[in-house]
Amino acid sequence: MSVWNPDNIRDIAESVGVVNLNNDVTENLARDVEYRIAQVLEESLKFMRHSKRTLLTTQDVAQALRVLDVEPLYGYESTRPLRFGEASLGPGQPLFYVEDEEVDFEKLINAPLPRVPREVSFTAHWLAVEGVQPSIPQNPTAADSRNLELVSKGPNANSTLAAMSGSGNVAVKPLVKHVLSKELQLYFEKVCSAFLDETSEEYRTSGYSSLREDPGLHQLVPYFVQFIAEKVTHSLKDIFVLTQVMHMAEALVQNKSLYVDPYIASLVPPILTCLIGRQLGSNADLPEQFALRDLAASLLGLIAKKYSHSSHTLKPRLARSCLKSFLDPSKPFGAHYGAIIGLHAVGGPEAVRVLIVPNLATYASLLKDGIAEDNPRRPEAEKVLGALVAVLATLREGRMPLSNGHTGVVTDELRARLNGKVGELIAGKIAEAGEVQMAHAILEA
């Protein structure tokens, strides 16, 4: 049984020339009309609620019809209520219509003209620079700020304070969430797409140059940091993407106009992932993997050098992370390679002397097994061996050249002492290169 009267369906059908409708047809059409009206009302109520209103307007109904792909009504507006008049066509047949508004032409013609609006003008000023509000006429003064602090801020707040400030009846607008301008949003999208464009190296170079040198990008720094973290998290198999986001992080750190200190804690984890991560890219990308780790190590050293003054625990935490990966035998040789060059980049020769040399005697056995002929991890182990020899060579920096009869050959006695210090494999490499000064520096470490 339909709530909608089937007689209305029959009357409308007769008005368009359809007569003698079956009762079942009128009943089904009445149910369909009832369903359609309920659907329109439901969509209209959604527009009303999202508009924070409790009164349903004709505009809500028109929007609901448009959403339902139905031609909206014309000739009605919701800015003022409709006035209906009643006319009688005969006994018991009233007709309601919308009354037209009467306009007095004499009053309309003699009404004074409206005032000419002022010309539109624009001016620009700095609202804040690095979080500090400049003292200019466009910005509120310190006295205004103190008055705002005295304003009553709640239903139970002290009204005496509001009276003291002279603004007892002033409603203070709540702080709104900052929204990036369209220009900055477009710049962010263009720069990110430039870094990830594999087809044009010139496009990537221009994006890198812009991010490294352009001022006025303070609002975009957290968005770039978040973009780097997301790409590293979801693109561990793509060496190209990881390399480009490391270049992006490098450009942010090298930009002298940006204040990146608060975001270093969020920027370091993705860099460490590219430095000491277990698996970066595929097995076929071995040279690219080590190139990425070299880039991450240099970037980590730059961060440690530039921001250690603002965070005294930055260098120890970075060194601890690299040392933990270096001392973990379950990690692949690629992670050990990143840990070794990372320790040297963060702490220099002193970190090599204190953290790497004391552990080489134990690590040499693991490295010796990896460098065996039948070991599939031999290429990675050879890279680690080369990295160890390279960082150990930095220990001779600042040392006086050997004299007084010292030759450039590592003697058997010196090599035996070196074997106990760094292991037979590394000692053999040093002896082959004739690095007597390096050997003495290692033994004195």
Side-chain angles (χ1 to χ4, degrees), residues 86-95:
E86 181 180 356
S88 178
L89 299 179
Q93 294 185 0
L95 176 65

Side-chain angles (χ1 to χ4, degrees), residues 307-421:
Y307 300 102
S308 58
H309 66 279
S310 59
S311 176
H312 299 293
T313 61
L314 178 62
K315 280 188 176 181
R317 286 188 286 114
L318 294 177
R320 191 180 303 114
S321 299
C322 294
L323 181 62
K324 183 179 178 181
S325 179
F326 175 62
L327 297 180
D328 189 356
S330 63
K331 292 289 186 68
F333 283 115
H336 293 166
Y337 175 87
I340 293 168
I341 61 176
L343 282 171
H344 178 260
V346 172
E350 186 64 24
V352 177
R353 180 181 297 107
V354 176
L355 301 177
I356 295 181
V357 173
N359 299 294
L360 284 182
T362 306
Y363 185 76
S365 59
L366 177 66
L367 188 59
K368 185 176 181 180
D369 295 337
I371 210 167
E373 292 288 345
D374 56 346
N375 197 321
R377 299 191 302 169
R378 181 176 180 178
E380 299 180 11
E382 290 178 347
K383 293 288 293 186
V384 173
L385 180 59
L388 283 173
V389 174
V391 297
L392 289 174
T394 61
L395 294 177
R396 63 189 178 188
E397 294 179 359
R399 291 177 58 89
M400 296 295 294
L402 297 177
S403 58
N404 298 329
H406 286 284
T407 62
V409 179
V410 179
T411 63
D412 294 339
E413 180 187 357
L414 184 60
R415 180 166 182 173
R417 294 172 56 193
L418 203 58
N419 288 344
K421 188 76 173 180

Side-chain angles (χ1 to χ4, degrees), residues 137-196:
Q138 289 85 355
N139 289 334
T141 61
D144 296 335
S145 302
R146 287 195 296 270
N147 290 337
L148 287 177
E149 294 178 359
L150 296 175
V151 174
S152 177
K153 294 182 174 65
N156 299 322
N158 192 345
S159 58
T160 307
L161 296 177
M164 291 171 57
S165 66
S167 56
N169 297 324
V170 176
V172 180
K173 292 184 178 181
L175 294 176
V176 297
K177 188 175 181 180
H178 182 263
V179 180
L180 287 176
S181 63
K182 291 184 178 180
E183 291 79 6
L184 285 178
Q185 294 181 26
L186 182 61
Y187 177 85
F188 177 77
E189 295 174 359
K190 291 293 184 182
V191 169
C192 292
S193 62
F195 271 94
L196 300 181

